[in-house]
């Protein structure tokens, strides 16, 4: 086993595993601390793999411009301490992004390490989540309290939830959605049968947690990524009968075992549907604030202060990654950010079917979940997801894309 990996594989796994600590440590979260500690190793890796890094020249230039833009925006900071803190987080998280890519260039099994890190991270959180559902006891870091209820007109329903170490259930739901493509890709391409069976069990538990947390966005993500996975699975030479049986079992378990939770989710969908007045208000007023800034953005660390105090939003939380970027940093940074996905797509196309499937699973999950949580840019999982997208989409690092892997069209 040790001959198949090296220190860079270990560093990739450790950076991802430490995300299980969530918000513990506040500014000094374990994943951030490790990012800073291994920075000298990343510098060494950068000198050793200069040629491989040419692929990511655009990302290097774009992130330099992004950081410069953030620093310049400090001149309009409403709360200088908060803005400087957010600026530091941005720099540390961009460092995290490039460390994952740098370590991937020198690792022996970079994509396998990425998959192991993400799956291992979410597995560490599952026992805590199940404990929360059973006992309704949560970690002190949770902003929601035990005994939470939701009001649907004249109906009140108890809502047991799991937020684990991430502070609130939306943040945990977002992390689960980020993990789904790695679980599904492992089921699709793992060589060892035990890995597939293990990931099927993990997928079932994640689906259970999503249902219990009653997140409409996470349910949409699970459904969309599941459909795409089923299509790829049926086209990869696997037994379609097994896929059909698994789908039937999942439906039956959902109907009979989780009937009460379906009732809660159905009540949410009936009374609220896909509409959320708070989120819609943030979109409308956020775009107005963007227009008032002449499309340059309101500045790093200013979202809650500007939209709350100056525009009068009751809950100034964007709940939207794209809105967060364009309102805070403006149109130029937003366009540059979107072009990253175009670049990743071109990289995945060069690798063939396996890398393109990895890219599409990642995009399916991101496109159906980017509106679940708030403060994406200040959280490590967002940047880990972006870096993993570039590593897995590159055939230089994705061994599943190599010709020796037997697949069928």
């Amino acid at each position: 086993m040790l001959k198949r990996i090296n220190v860079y594989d270990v560093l990739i796994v450790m950076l991802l595993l430490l995300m299980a600590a969530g918000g513990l440590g506040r500014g000094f979260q374990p994943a951030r601390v490790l990012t800073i500690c291994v920075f000298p190793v990343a510098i060494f890796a950068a000198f050793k793999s200069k040629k491989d890094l040419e692929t990511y020249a655009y990302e290097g230039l774009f992130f330099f411009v992004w950081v410069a833009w953030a620093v310049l925006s400090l001149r309009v900071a409403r709360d200088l301490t908060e803005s400087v803190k957010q600026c530091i987080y941005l720099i540390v998280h961009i460092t995290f992004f490039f460390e994952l890519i740098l370590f991937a260039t020198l690792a022996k099994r970079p994509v396998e390490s990425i998959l192991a890190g993400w799956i291992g991270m979410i597995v560490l959180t599952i026992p805590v989540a199940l404990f929360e559902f059973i006992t309704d006891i949560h970690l002190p870091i949770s902003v929601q309290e035990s005994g939470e209820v939701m009001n649907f007109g004249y109906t009140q329903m108890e809502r047991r939830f799991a937020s684990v170490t991430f502070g609130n259930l939306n943040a945990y739901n977002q992390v689960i959605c980020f993990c789904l493509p790695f679980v599904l890709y492992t089921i699709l391409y793992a060589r060892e049968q035990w890995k597939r069976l293990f990931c099927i069990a993990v997928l079932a538990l994640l689906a259970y947690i999503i249902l219990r947390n009653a997140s409409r966005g996470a349910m949409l993500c699970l459904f969309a990524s599941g459909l795409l996975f089923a299509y790829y699975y049926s086209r990869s030479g696997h037994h379609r009968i097994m896929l059909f049986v698994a789908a039937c079992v999942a439906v039956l378990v959902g109907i009979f075992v989780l009937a009460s939770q379906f009732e809660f989710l159905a009540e949410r969908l009936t009374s609220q549907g896909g509409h959320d007045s708070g989120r819609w208000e943030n979109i409308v007023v956020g775009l107005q604030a963007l227009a008032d800034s002449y499309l340059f953005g309101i500045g790093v660390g200013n979202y809650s202060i500007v939209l709350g105090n100056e525009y009068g939003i009751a809950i100034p939380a964007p709940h939207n990654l794209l809105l967060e970027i364009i309102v805070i940093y403006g149109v130029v940074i937003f366009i540059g950010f979107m072009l990253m996905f175009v670049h990743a797509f071109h990289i995945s196309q060069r690798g063939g079917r396996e890398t393109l499937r990895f890219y599409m699973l990642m995009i399916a999950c991101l496109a159906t979940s980017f509106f679940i949580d708030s403060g994406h840019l200040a959280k490590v999982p967002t940047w880990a997801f972006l870096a993993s997208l570039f590593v897995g989409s590159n055939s230089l690092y994705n061994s599943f894309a190599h010709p020796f892997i037997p697949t069928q069209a």
Side-chain angles (χ1 to χ4, degrees):
M1 176 63 182
L2 292 176
K3 292 181 180 180
R4 297 178 59 193
I5 62 173
N6 60 20
V7 65
Y8 299 104
D9 291 287
V10 174
L11 287 172
I12 289 172
V13 173
M14 288 303 300
L15 282 169
L16 296 173
L17 277 181
L18 287 178
M19 293 192 300
L24 298 177
R26 297 184 179 274
F28 296 96
Q29 294 171 14
R32 289 176 183 156
V33 173
L34 183 60
T35 298
I36 296 169
C37 290
V38 300
F39 183 69
V41 182
I43 295 296
F44 172 78
F47 281 109
K48 202 169 181 180
S49 54
K50 279 184 179 179
K51 190 173 182 180
D52 291 337
L53 293 179
E54 292 177 3
T55 304
Y56 306 105
Y58 170 76
E59 285 68 37
L61 176 61
F62 168 63
F63 282 135
F64 175 80
V65 172
W66 192 345
V67 170
W69 198 281
V71 172
L72 287 173
S73 76
L74 292 176
R75 61 187 294 274
V76 296
R78 305 313 198 263
D79 181 342
L80 186 59
T81 301
E82 177 64 22
S83 293
V84 169
K85 182 177 74 173
Q86 294 299 323
C87 198
I88 292 172
Y89 288 165
L90 180 67
I91 295 170
V92 172
H93 293 158
I94 287 174
T95 302
F96 181 100
F97 174 94
F98 280 112
E99 282 183 356
L100 271 188
I101 291 178
L102 286 166
F103 296 154
T105 63
L106 298 178
K108 288 186 177 180
R109 298 279 178 176
V111 169
E112 286 90 332
S113 299
I114 291 283
L115 297 175
W118 276 100
I119 295 169
M121 182 274 291
I122 203 64
V123 166
L124 289 175
T125 71
I126 289 175
V128 181
L130 297 178
F131 176 80
E132 289 182 271
F133 288 135
I134 294 168
T135 65
D136 200 24
I137 297 173
H138 311 282
L139 295 175
I141 195 174
S142 176
V143 297
Q144 287 124 341
E145 298 179 356
S146 302
E148 182 174 296
V149 296
M150 290 196 73
N151 296 304
F152 304 106
Y154 296 103
T155 305
Q156 272 195 342
M157 299 185 74
E158 180 188 11
R159 185 184 195 183
R160 290 205 175 188
F161 65 92
S163 58
V164 193
T165 57
F166 297 95
N168 65 79
L169 62 91
N170 282 333
Y172 186 44
N173 288 332
Q174 185 75 70
V175 169
I176 290 174
C177 290
F178 282 161
C179 287
L180 286 176
F182 305 100
V183 175
L184 295 172
Y185 197 76
T186 302
I187 297 172
L188 197 60
Y189 285 114
R191 300 178 184 90
E192 299 86 353
Q193 186 67 16
W194 71 266
K195 288 184 180 180
R196 288 183 178 176
L197 294 174
F198 177 76
C199 284
I200 289 171
V202 171
L203 180 62
L205 288 168
L206 294 182
Y208 172 80
I209 293 170
I210 288 172
L211 283 170
R212 288 298 302 268
N213 269 344
S215 169
R216 292 163 294 174
M219 281 293 297
L220 176 62
C221 179
L222 179 64
F223 179 73
S225 59
L227 281 181
L228 186 61
F229 165 79
Y231 172 74
Y232 288 153
Y233 188 92
S234 66
R235 299 277 294 176
S236 297
H238 299 301
H239 295 294
R240 300 183 186 183
I241 295 177
M242 289 186 64
L243 179 63
F244 176 76
V245 171
C248 290
V249 169
V251 171
L252 291 174
V253 169
I255 291 174
F256 293 107
V257 179
L258 302 175
S260 61
Q261 199 59 31
F262 269 122
E263 181 184 352
F264 180 89
L265 190 59
E267 190 68 39
R268 281 198 80 186
L269 292 172
T270 301
S271 60
Q272 298 176 332
H275 180 68
D276 189 313
S277 57
R279 284 181 168 92
W280 181 249
E281 184 183 23
N282 271 274
I283 292 173
V284 173
V285 179
L287 293 178
Q288 180 61 52
L290 173 67
D292 292 342
S293 72
Y294 303 101
L295 305 183
F296 289 109
I298 61 176
V300 62
N302 287 338
Y303 190 95
S304 60
I305 297 175
V306 170
L307 270 71
N309 297 345
E310 299 177 20
Y311 286 85
I313 290 184
I315 305 177
H319 281 288
N320 189 314
L321 172 62
L322 301 183
L323 182 70
E324 186 178 330
I325 293 171
I326 196 169
V327 172
I328 295 174
Y329 294 102
V331 171
V332 173
I333 299 300
F334 177 79
I335 293 173
F337 181 77
M338 297 306 294
L339 287 176
M340 284 177 56
F341 296 102
V342 177
H343 185 213
F345 175 71
H346 288 312
I347 293 173
S348 71
Q349 275 190 315
R350 293 199 295 267
R353 184 176 59 217
E354 285 72 22
T355 52
L356 186 58
R357 286 179 176 179
F358 182 92
Y359 175 87
M360 293 305 298
L361 281 170
M362 295 283 282
I363 292 300
C365 289
L366 182 62
T368 52
S369 70
F370 70 89
F371 49 82
I372 294 175
D373 194 21
S374 285
H376 293 82
L377 299 179
K379 296 175 181 176
V380 177
T382 305
W383 298 89
F385 187 88
L386 293 174
S388 300
L389 170 66
F390 278 91
V391 173
S393 298
N394 193 333
S395 61
L396 292 176
Y397 313 130
N398 192 333
S399 63
F400 299 114
H402 291 176
F404 64 80
I405 303 298
T407 56
Q408 297 180 16

